[in-house]
Amino acid sequence: MNIDFKKSNGLVPVIAQEYGTNEILMLGYMNKESFDLTIKTKVVHYFSRTKNRIWKKGESSGHIQKLIDLRVDCDEDTILVIVEQVGNTACHTGAKSCFFRSYLNKENEKTIISSEIANLPSKYGNFLIKAYKDCCQEHLAIMSKDFKDIEVPLVRVHSECLTGDAIGSLKCDCNNQLNLALELISKEGGLVVYHRQEGRNIGLVNKVNAYNLQDQGYNTVEANLKLGFKEDERNYIAVEYILKDLGVKKMKLITNNPRKINFFENSGIEIVERIPAITKINKFNKNYLQTKKEQMGHIL
Ligand SMILES: Nc1nc2c(ncn2[C@@H]2O[C@H](COP(=O)(O)OP(=O)(O)OP(=O)(O)O)[C@@H](O)[C@H]2O)c(=O)[nH]1
Ligand SMILES: [Mg+2]
Ligand SMILES: [Zn+2]
């Protein structure tokens, strides 16, 4: 396989895509030298047209791109690099992807698509479900059958915790909170948004690395920071879209987290009441909950 560096005066466009999520992160250029450096070091080096020199992506921010695969297109004049994006940030603005704005849709608004509504009988009762897909994840809205008739429904926005929700991990309170929310909406009517931003949006691999650091004595906040993330990397853009799509104008939000409340206060959806999501403490999640209270401001 050859790469046609001659076609555009020694430079070839390079699309960077995140391994795992397939998210498009950025477009850059490579000359032969930066290409060779990338292959040799397994860290992506571009040729910066602005700086007019070889540019190791993340050289000053630390947000380097570890090379997982490099593909060449059919006529060998465009490169696709599949990368692990360190720090979850490819864009100099702090956004994950440089393509965070939409020209067709409202500025800064992400394009979100959705499914039809279907029935979901469950051990909690009979629900309706509707799935959504944004740039990065698929999410699920779980509604009680009478949801549309309730003026101020109970709403739980639950971030994905595979270890807790599916495996029953005792390190956190996620599984219990999810059960509590599903029981409540089944009884009183309402909605659970299952928000697939795993591990406060650092993803599963990074969360397990954070757990490894916690095994070594770091707390949940310190572990995130040590891995180069903020304590909480979540955003609720998709959730706001989902709530508005389902016609929620007022809600009783089930949460202990002041950040979630702040977000929705600026979204135009009124929080009429906060319903605490307090569940059983055990010896494995005691310190985790203590840290959330002391360092993340959770109302516990
Ligand atoms: N990075 C990281 N994420 C964690 C850890 N433990 C749990 N999580 C994630 O934390 C998130 C918890 O989600 P939620 O329960 O919806 O949010 P919350 O901040 O606890 O707020 P409320 O439960 O609403 O009070 C999930 O995405 C979990 O996967 C951890 O030690 N490190
Ligand atoms: Mg929680
Ligand atoms: Zn959890």
Side-chain angles (χ1 to χ4, degrees):
M1 210 184 298
N2 285 310
I3 292 159
D4 189 352
F5 284 105
K6 285 201 200 96
K7 200 166 190 172
S8 298
N9 296 325
L11 293 184
V12 164
V14 182
I15 303 160
Q17 184 180 38
E18 187 180 43
Y19 180 67
T21 66
N22 292 340
E23 188 174 353
I24 301 297
L25 297 173
M26 60 177 282
L27 174 84
Y29 293 86
M30 279 183 190
N31 62 1
K32 177 76 169 65
E33 193 188 346
S34 61
F35 172 81
D36 290 342
L37 264 171
T38 300
I39 297 294
K40 196 170 137 209
T41 60
K42 297 281 185 294
V43 170
V44 180
H45 290 68
Y46 295 96
F47 182 87
S48 164
R49 295 178 306 169
T50 320
K51 302 181 195 359
N52 197 32
R53 64 166 171 83
I54 302 278
W55 167 50
K56 175 182 166 191
K57 162 79 189 134
E59 59 190 12
S60 47
S61 65
H63 296 153
I64 61 162
Q65 293 177 337
K66 296 187 191 166
L67 188 68
I68 309 271
D69 193 10
L70 187 147
R71 300 186 189 186
V72 182
D73 78 341
C74 46
D75 58 352
E76 305 186 331
D77 62 2
T78 304
I79 291 171
L80 173 70
V81 285
I82 298 171
V83 301
E84 183 193 330
Q85 176 62 63
V86 171
N88 223 18
T89 306
C91 181
H92 75 287
T93 62
K96 181 172 178 188
S97 162
C98 294
F99 299 102
F100 59 89
R101 288 174 300 178
S102 166
Y103 191 82
L104 288 186
N105 297 300
K106 223 173 68 201
E107 188 96 341
N108 294 330
E109 196 173 276
K110 294 189 176 171
T111 308
I112 297 176
I113 60 169
S114 59
S115 72
E116 302 297 332
I117 291 178
N119 283 302
L120 188 80
S122 80
K123 64 180 183 185
Y124 304 94
N126 292 329
F127 293 128
L128 297 171
I129 51 170
K130 182 170 181 181
Y132 294 82
K133 186 173 191 167
D134 64 17
C135 67
C136 316
Q137 281 106 3
E138 291 182 302
H139 310 281
L140 188 67
I142 305 142
M143 292 158 271
S144 62
K145 290 248 171 171
D146 58 354
F147 168 72
K148 283 273 176 214
D149 308 324
I150 307 171
E151 203 197 327
V152 188
L154 274 174
V155 173
R156 167 74 181 159
V157 175
H158 185 87
S159 303
E160 176 175 309
C161 177
L162 189 81
T163 47
D165 299 338
I167 317 293
S169 161
L170 298 175
K171 275 180 71 69
C172 55
D173 56 346
C174 304
N175 186 307
N176 289 339
Q177 286 187 318
L178 182 61
N179 287 339
L180 174 77
L182 290 170
E183 269 162 22
L184 278 175
I185 67 155
S186 154
K187 266 195 233 127
E188 296 179 29
L191 160 73
V192 172
V193 178
Y194 194 87
H195 182 220
R196 305 271 311 280
Q197 294 191 351
E198 169 65 58
R200 301 197 292 270
N201 208 19
I202 65 175
L204 195 55
V205 167
N206 292 317
K207 188 175 89 168
V208 175
N209 282 334
Y211 278 179
N212 172 270
L213 289 171
Q214 289 169 36
D215 290 342
Q216 298 170 45
Y218 295 93
N219 70 33
T220 184
V221 169
E222 292 162 349
N224 260 39
L225 299 179
K226 193 157 170 61
L227 291 172
F229 297 107
K230 292 183 274 193
E231 61 185 32
D232 193 342
E233 292 276 352
R234 282 173 292 181
N235 66 70
Y236 297 97
I237 297 167
V239 178
E240 180 181 340
Y241 178 94
I242 293 169
L243 295 179
K244 288 183 177 166
D245 178 64
L246 296 173
V248 178
K249 294 192 177 69
K250 296 177 181 190
M251 60 182 173
K252 292 186 247 174
L253 189 67
I254 308 170
T255 187
N256 311 318
N257 182 347
R259 269 199 77 226
K260 284 186 188 172
I261 298 168
N262 283 347
F263 180 85
F264 291 112
E265 275 173 351
N266 296 322
S267 74
I269 300 166
E270 188 187 339
I271 301 177
V272 173
E273 192 182 341
R274 180 186 75 87
I275 312 289
I278 309 280
T279 62
K280 245 176 139 179
I281 298 176
N282 68 51
K283 65 177 178 185
F284 302 104
N285 70 17
K286 191 165 171 271
N287 287 342
Y288 167 78
L289 293 172
Q290 193 66 25
T291 304
K292 284 185 114 166
K293 182 176 172 178
E294 286 168 6
Q295 297 194 16
M296 300 179 76
H298 281 237
I299 312 155
L300 289 168

